[in-house]
Amino acid sequence: MKEATNKIGFRPTWAEINLTNLTHNFKQLKKLFSPEIKMMVCVKADAYGHGLITTSTKLAALGVDYLAVASIDEGISLRQNYIKVPVLVLGMILEDHIRPLFKYNLIPAVPSESLALALNKEACRKGKPVKVHLKIDTGMGRLGVLAKNAPSFIKKINKLKFIDIEGIFTHLACADSNMYVTSDQIRIFNRLITELNKEKINIKLIHAANSMGVIGYKKSHFNMVRPGLAIYGLYPKQGLKIKLKPVLSLKTRVVYSKRVPCGYGISYGHTYKTSKASTILTLPIGYGDGYPRILSNKAPVLIRGRRYKVSGRVCMDHIMVDVGNHKFPIGEEVVLIGSQGKEKISAAELAYLGNTISYEIVCGIGSRVPRIYSN
Ligand SMILES: *Cc1c(COP(=O)(O)O)cnc(C)c1O
């Protein structure tokens, strides 16, 4: 108990990260594609709120082929923590910022000729070619050269002496919602690869599949897949057959409890009033921890395996829960995401109640909430 207290600090709100479940998900996903296909795992945004370094260290130990981050800073953090796996930086890199790529051995995604030219120049100065992955837009409308302009773009880059085109990739925009758009994106990307092969441009790594691609579109696997969400045990959509185990649980403890009369207003704006004399618990978590305010009067919490509801508005540092005539001691554990007894609250359920996606729920859990790892 002493050790846990040390890790959690003096405010009993924490996220438990179950690395056994991470391993389970990694292995489940691996079953979906043939062994010669490589796996890059997305660990951007602090590994979707699960903690960049511990998560990445575990993935490295499991034999992940590549890690993908959003920014150079996230990549540097991996290197400074002795993670040696190849790292792709998915986000756009400004030309002023290319030097750390060389220093920390990070692979840039390249969606423009000007970035390629700047990289080529710096690599030439260093006397050693730089690896890049070219980014093609087949229908996302974000980073990437439009598919119709891709052949001429790639031919130009291919002529640069100090650019080593190690990979080419695209990103699916509607894999969880639209089969037609998705199949079209895959077809456009395929056609491009075939065209390049005809021109004797054979790029080593070809990738397109996010989690939903890995699970639902075999044709999007090419020779490397690039999941994020599913690795953390969350589903890109409902009703999928694959059995994943959620890695993150969010927990807190009762810090205060009192009886209030019938008709008593709870929290800012009195949006909740007791319907009888009740016990109101105060829990030390709020929107300052990334527990969304939109969950006011909506979200369930678990105490002793039973569901109760957030009562009144979510505050910055607190929520309240009306437990009627039930009695709980100070220090009683409360589950906000995760299971307790036979009950379970998933990130997806909170996402549904908060009119968002599970990605945003887990990414939103703030740095004030310590991550506690279990193997
Ligand atoms: C985040 C991201 C992914 C992973 O998507 P999931 O839906 O989390 O599997 C893949 N590719 C790119 C470019 C991304 O930004």
Side-chain angles (χ1 to χ4, degrees), residues 254-294:
V254 174
V255 291
Y256 191 78
S257 167
K258 69 166 170 273
R259 290 293 289 177
V260 302
C262 176
Y264 200 77
I266 303 297
S267 195
Y268 294 117
H270 285 184
T271 59
Y272 182 85
K273 286 206 168 84
T274 51
S275 58
K276 58 176 198 273
S278 296
T279 296
I280 302 293
L281 306 179
T282 301
L283 310 177
I285 185 165
Y287 62 77
D289 303 291
Y291 191 79
R293 186 169 174 276
I294 197 173

Side-chain angles (χ1 to χ4, degrees), residues 42 44 48 90 135 142 171 210-211 226-229 359:
C42 293
K44 62 202 187 196
Y48 292 44
L90 295 166
K135 181 75 193 275
R142 194 169 66 183
H171 191 42
N210 54 7
S211 294
R226 208 175 60 231
L229 193 73
Y359 298 74

Side-chain angles (χ1 to χ4, degrees), residues 28-40 65 168-170 172 175 182 185-187 189-190 193 204-227 242:
Q28 286 299 105
L29 284 179
K30 278 221 155 211
K31 285 185 196 162
L32 300 179
F33 49 87
S34 45
E36 66 274 12
I37 293 179
K38 291 191 182 335
M39 176 146 67
M40 169 185 280
D65 298 294
I168 183 165
F169 73 112
T170 192
L172 303 174
T182 306
Q185 282 197 265
I186 297 168
R187 199 173 320 120
F189 195 49
N190 237 323
I193 302 302
K204 188 172 127 200
L205 297 170
I206 302 163
H207 48 113
N210 54 7
S211 294
M212 192 56 224
V214 179
I215 298 167
Y217 295 86
K218 217 170 174 48
K219 283 194 168 156
S220 73
H221 293 179
F222 295 92
N223 62 16
M224 183 154 83
V225 296
R226 208 175 60 231
I242 185 170

Side-chain angles (χ1 to χ4, degrees), residues 82-101:
Y82 313 103
I83 292 158
K84 301 201 168 73
V85 178
V87 171
L88 178 65
V89 180
L90 295 166
M92 184 58 187
I93 291 156
L94 299 178
E95 287 163 38
D96 291 348
H97 298 162
I98 62 179
R99 288 207 169 169
L101 294 170

